[in-house]
Amino acid sequence: MKGFKDKLHGIYGIDGLSCGLILLSVVLNLATSVASSPATNKWNIVCLLPLIICVLRMFSRNFAQREKENQVFLRLLSPLLSRFEGDTAKKEEKKLFKFFKCPACTQKIRVPKGKGRVEITCPRCGNKFIKKT
């Protein structure tokens, strides 16, 4: 067992790109299994290719190159991930606040929940209106 641990010491391991490659491999395998025909059997190696690349990256000892590849992947993926991160912030904000639009200028106004009937003054136009929170 000690020899096995020594062989694994100093390998790169798993990162964001490795997880993405595993997910890609699973999606490709599911897609080819749904569309089963004799022609899809030739695609099996293509489905395994991301998984093979993932394993090779995990056991690599070239940390600098693997880190550079991962940073490029995360930079390309960040616009997609930022959309999901923004949604969680909005959900948390909706738990604490209620949102209203000013009837005069349609400015969005945030009011704490659970305060009952409150008089709201619009910061843009100064219009006052009463709403229940």
Side-chain angles (χ1 to χ4, degrees), residues 121-128:
T121 305
C122 177
R124 182 191 287 172
C125 67
N127 183 35
K128 292 185 180 187

mmCIF file of all heavy atoms in Angstrom, residues 121-128:
data_model
loop_
_atom_site.group_PDB
_atom_site.id
_atom_site.type_symbol
_atom_site.label_atom_id
_atom_site.label_comp_id
_atom_site.label_asym_id
_atom_site.label_seq_id
_atom_site.Cartn_x
_atom_site.Cartn_y
_atom_site.Cartn_z
ATOM 1 N N THR A 121 -41.330 56.576 -0.069
ATOM 2 C CA THR A 121 -40.988 57.786 -0.807
ATOM 3 C C THR A 121 -39.997 57.411 -1.895
ATOM 4 O O THR A 121 -38.936 56.853 -1.604
ATOM 5 C CB THR A 121 -40.373 58.850 0.123
ATOM 6 O OG1 THR A 121 -41.280 59.096 1.191
ATOM 7 C CG2 THR A 121 -40.092 60.133 -0.626
ATOM 8 N N CYS A 122 -40.332 57.722 -3.118
ATOM 9 C CA CYS A 122 -39.450 57.391 -4.242
ATOM 10 C C CYS A 122 -38.207 58.274 -4.180
ATOM 11 O O CYS A 122 -38.320 59.505 -4.079
ATOM 12 C CB CYS A 122 -40.186 57.611 -5.558
ATOM 13 S SG CYS A 122 -39.152 57.319 -7.009
ATOM 14 N N PRO A 123 -37.008 57.665 -4.243
ATOM 15 C CA PRO A 123 -35.783 58.481 -4.174
ATOM 16 C C PRO A 123 -35.544 59.304 -5.433
ATOM 17 O O PRO A 123 -34.849 60.317 -5.381
ATOM 18 C CB PRO A 123 -34.680 57.441 -3.982
ATOM 19 C CG PRO A 123 -35.243 56.168 -4.470
ATOM 20 C CD PRO A 123 -36.723 56.242 -4.294
ATOM 21 N N ARG A 124 -36.145 58.919 -6.547
ATOM 22 C CA ARG A 124 -35.910 59.638 -7.803
ATOM 23 C C ARG A 124 -36.814 60.862 -7.929
ATOM 24 O O ARG A 124 -36.346 61.976 -8.174
ATOM 25 C CB ARG A 124 -36.129 58.717 -8.998
ATOM 26 C CG ARG A 124 -35.833 59.433 -10.323
ATOM 27 C CD ARG A 124 -36.283 58.668 -11.540
ATOM 28 N NE ARG A 124 -35.420 57.519 -11.796
ATOM 29 C CZ ARG A 124 -35.690 56.603 -12.709
ATOM 30 N NH1 ARG A 124 -36.797 56.666 -13.419
ATOM 31 N NH2 ARG A 124 -34.864 55.598 -12.899
ATOM 32 N N CYS A 125 -38.144 60.642 -7.771
ATOM 33 C CA CYS A 125 -39.079 61.745 -8.034
ATOM 34 C C CYS A 125 -39.720 62.312 -6.769
ATOM 35 O O CYS A 125 -40.379 63.353 -6.824
ATOM 36 C CB CYS A 125 -40.164 61.296 -8.998
ATOM 37 S SG CYS A 125 -41.283 60.051 -8.340
ATOM 38 N N GLY A 126 -39.563 61.651 -5.615
ATOM 39 C CA GLY A 126 -40.129 62.149 -4.364
ATOM 40 C C GLY A 126 -41.595 61.796 -4.170
ATOM 41 O O GLY A 126 -42.208 62.233 -3.194
ATOM 42 N N ASN A 127 -42.193 61.037 -5.075
ATOM 43 C CA ASN A 127 -43.590 60.621 -4.960
ATOM 44 C C ASN A 127 -43.758 59.722 -3.744
ATOM 45 O O ASN A 127 -42.920 58.872 -3.466
ATOM 46 C CB ASN A 127 -44.011 59.895 -6.238
ATOM 47 C CG ASN A 127 -45.471 59.498 -6.206
ATOM 48 O OD1 ASN A 127 -46.308 60.206 -5.660
ATOM 49 N ND2 ASN A 127 -45.779 58.368 -6.811
ATOM 50 N N LYS A 128 -44.858 59.909 -3.007
ATOM 51 C CA LYS A 128 -45.121 59.079 -1.816
ATOM 52 C C LYS A 128 -46.336 58.192 -2.116
ATOM 53 O O LYS A 128 -47.330 58.668 -2.682
ATOM 54 C CB LYS A 128 -45.390 59.951 -0.596
ATOM 55 C CG LYS A 128 -44.168 60.718 -0.154
ATOM 56 C CD LYS A 128 -44.439 61.481 1.112
ATOM 57 C CE LYS A 128 -43.167 62.235 1.517
ATOM 58 N NZ LYS A 128 -43.301 62.857 2.794
#
